[in-house]
Amino acid sequence: MSRLDPQIAKAVSNELESGNFPHSSDITYLKVRYARSYAGLADCKGLRFLLLVGCATEKIPPLVDHPELVQLGVSDSDVRSIEGIGAAAELHTVDLPRNGIEDLEPLLACPGLLSVDVTGNPLSDRSWEYVLPELRRRGVKVSAPTADERDLMLRMRSAGLPFAYYHRGESHRLSRPGLGLTDMPEADHVKIEPGELDRLLVEDRAALAAIFERRDLMPTLSDL
């Protein structure tokens, strides 16, 4: 086995110790948290379901190593590029919430795509105006930012604030994808409505940059 990223090694070890898979190449389901590289992931050639959470990787993993993959999930991570996603010919579900993805055009190379989630991503004009409508035209179920959410994310990024913004239920949340600003990017998503976020962007960017210190804005158990 090649040298593994420590978090990938941990996830692989957990699956092997479960007794369900004799070798890493037999593993069909893998969930990895906080990886900083994909080193060793290629050894898991039998993967059908791959979930990556809070990773410090700017690209999705090379899917040519996983020809049987049917579901890919990458959330709360630093991913900016999904180039090469079409290499997984069996892929039908792609969940990419709360990353830094602008260009969705590689999704058009996935012939069997049924469902896509790109909420919380600062999508480019072309992705917004052409790729999303084309995916919907093909019958793909698409979850994407609203126009207001996208606009706010683009403005935050222009201000040097690489936050993700999305809605859950009846409220909106702000989060910090990747490992650059927090050790647990899937946690502590603050509640803030669009009007207030817009106000802070215009009037008080320092308060917005420090908003994750506001414990009063953190979701309670009733919000989860």
Side-chain angles (χ1 to χ4, degrees), residues 14-23 26-28:
N14 287 342
E15 292 300 325
L16 294 178
E17 289 175 3
S18 72
N20 294 325
F21 309 104
H23 307 289
D26 299 313
I27 294 173
T28 58

Side-chain angles (χ1 to χ4, degrees), residues 14-201:
N14 287 342
E15 292 300 325
L16 294 178
E17 289 175 3
S18 72
N20 294 325
F21 309 104
H23 307 289
S24 60
S25 59
D26 299 313
I27 294 173
T28 58
Y29 172 92
L30 195 67
K31 184 174 184 177
V32 181
R33 295 180 183 272
Y34 316 138
R36 293 186 177 274
S37 79
Y38 298 127
L41 189 60
D43 294 315
C44 303
K45 297 187 182 300
L47 282 178
R48 292 178 57 78
F49 305 91
L50 175 60
L51 304 179
L52 304 168
V53 179
C55 296
T57 46
E58 293 191 359
K59 301 178 180 180
I60 60 169
L63 298 189
V64 68
D65 298 321
H66 310 291
E68 299 179 29
L69 196 71
V70 296
Q71 180 172 345
L72 173 67
V74 186
S75 60
D76 301 293
S77 297
D78 277 325
V79 167
R80 291 168 173 78
S81 172
I82 58 171
E83 195 66 39
I85 197 167
E90 302 299 317
L91 195 63
H92 61 62
T93 301
V94 176
D95 296 318
L96 303 168
R98 302 178 299 280
N99 286 281
I101 301 166
E102 299 178 10
D103 180 15
L104 297 180
E105 197 140 5
L107 289 174
L108 299 179
C110 300
L113 205 56
L114 299 176
S115 176
V116 171
D117 183 352
V118 290
T119 52
N121 284 278
L123 305 179
S124 68
D125 288 347
R126 180 165 175 79
S127 292
W128 181 258
E129 297 168 1
Y130 170 67
V131 179
L132 291 182
E134 174 61 17
L135 289 172
R136 292 184 174 113
R137 187 191 69 79
R138 296 180 182 186
V140 179
K141 179 182 177 183
V142 175
S143 298
T146 65
D148 286 345
E149 290 165 359
R150 173 178 175 259
D151 176 68
L152 287 163
M153 282 188 284
L154 292 174
R155 289 168 58 197
M156 284 190 289
R157 288 183 174 263
S158 294
L161 301 170
F163 301 155
Y165 191 55
Y166 67 103
H167 61 274
R168 174 176 292 173
E170 298 181 355
S171 65
H172 282 79
R173 310 286 177 90
L174 194 67
S175 70
R176 298 164 289 180
L179 297 175
L181 298 174
T182 176
D183 292 332
M184 296 180 65
E186 79 279 26
D188 293 341
H189 296 186
V190 301
K191 296 171 62 177
I192 181 169
E193 292 310 306
E196 176 62 8
L197 181 53
D198 177 75
R199 186 190 71 79
L200 290 177
L201 265 171

